[in-house]
Amino acid sequence: MIQHRWIRHVGVLASCWSIALFEISAHAQSTNTDLSPLRDLASQCGIWIGPAVAYDPLTGEAIYADTLGREFSILTPENDMKWAPIHPQQFQYSFERADALVAFAGANGMTVHGHTLVWHSAIPSWLSSGSFTRDEMIDILRDHIYTVVGRYNGSIAAWDVVNEAVNDDGSLRSTLWLSSIGPEYLDLAFRFASDADPNAPLVYNDYGNESINAKSNGIYDLVSGMLARGVPIHGVGFQFHITLGGIDLASFAQNMQRFADLGLGIYISELDVRMQLPVTSENFATQANIYAGILDACLAQPACRVFQMWGFTDAHSWVPSSFPGYGAALIFDEMYQPKPAYDALAQGLSQCPSPVVGAKSSHRSANVSKPLAPAQ
Ligand code: XIL
């Protein structure tokens, strides 16, 4: 089995190089001859690497499951742990799909990033159209978090406890949770999650907070307040759903540092880099450089030890339906061939261990109480 996978991997890379890499850019002309899967390279850097995963292709397409198990060390259920799928009726949970993803991870030596316990979206109609008192909403939140987190206790590398609760101007987003419970819902959610799995790192996750801006300032104030109140929060997620315009990497580095200085872990949680269709070689090269730059920023930051993408193959991505006219945002193409972005990540990861990473290890043990990265 292992040999079979390895041979396939070599073949995939070889065909990719012949059709794509050598024609594109200086970055794509890298002579990466280390054919180790990304997960092995990432392990040498002390980070996890992986994608969001959907149940249907995982169970329906052998190449999806093979590529996932071969290349990655962590997966995030793309939808199957959200409220509507996992808790469709007030007194009914539906764990089948989430269980299957967690089982796949376990069988393939991967870990799981739980996503997500509290969000304004994917709320089932029994909850959005019910009329519950504040106390009832708190009870519902507690029951949900205890049940879901409790079920996967021991299998989860980190939980996105609250997702996307902050507006672009830094204020709290108007959600069912805010209107029914008040701002305390955030503290409560983290406390309930900690009760249910005291060992799981607990994360606040959002988009548009990658650079220093009004939104990331609001999140900084929010999590600082939580820490001051003794709320169990251990990390901040930066989603990175971005375009070929890229990101201000200097600002991202500065932003990561201020959260790291609070003692929090940094999670690159949902990266994808979309482009207008049809694709061009030039755009693939630009995309590869963006992936590489974000990885390098993570490797240079001791508190950053997870590099996660929102999918891995352009055959299964939320981008085309969510951003009409855009696509090709991931590191494998629709035929599961690695793209220049894949090679850029392999190149970046193959630089470890380096002096920077040595510094990273000591910082990690000194400053972080939760085990967030795989054992070396
Ligand atoms: C998206 C999924 O990819 C889609 O399949 C679904 O229809 C909507 O949600 N930020 C998040 C993710 O935190 O949960 C979202 O996932 C993408 C944006």
Side-chain angles (χ1 to χ4, degrees), residues 23-83:
E23 66 183 350
I24 293 175
S25 73
H27 201 93
Q29 286 163 8
S30 60
T31 51
N32 172 28
T33 52
D34 184 343
L35 299 181
S36 296
L38 295 180
R39 59 185 284 167
D40 295 347
L41 299 172
S43 167
Q44 288 164 29
C45 297
I47 67 169
W48 277 307
I49 189 165
V53 172
Y55 176 87
D56 286 340
L58 182 67
T59 50
E61 288 178 43
I63 191 171
Y64 185 97
D66 283 354
T67 308
L68 178 64
R70 182 188 71 224
E71 294 290 340
F72 301 111
S73 51
I74 188 168
L75 64 82
T76 304
E78 182 174 0
N79 288 304
D80 294 313
M81 287 181 171
K82 293 172 180 171
W83 268 80

Side-chain angles (χ1 to χ4, degrees), residues 52 54 76-79 82 115-116 119 121-122 160 163-164 205-207 239 241 269-270 272 310 317-319 321-323:
T76 304
E78 182 174 0
N79 288 304
K82 293 172 180 171
H115 177 84
T116 177
W119 194 28
S121 188
D160 289 336
N163 196 37
E164 302 178 352
N205 187 48
D206 216 324
Y207 64 88
Q239 291 185 9
H241 295 293
S269 55
E270 306 186 9
D272 50 23
W310 208 241
S317 163
W318 77 310
V319 167
S321 55
S322 302
F323 303 93

Side-chain angles (χ1 to χ4, degrees), residues 79-93:
N79 288 304
D80 294 313
M81 287 181 171
K82 293 172 180 171
W83 268 80
I86 210 167
H87 194 170
Q89 302 296 333
Q90 186 172 4
F91 301 108
Q92 183 206 324
Y93 287 85

Side-chain angles (χ1 to χ4, degrees), residues 242-244 274-277 318-329:
I242 61 176
T243 67
L244 293 181
R274 61 186 179 271
M275 62 183 70
Q276 268 179 320
L277 301 175
W318 77 310
V319 167
S321 55
S322 302
F323 303 93
Y326 286 80

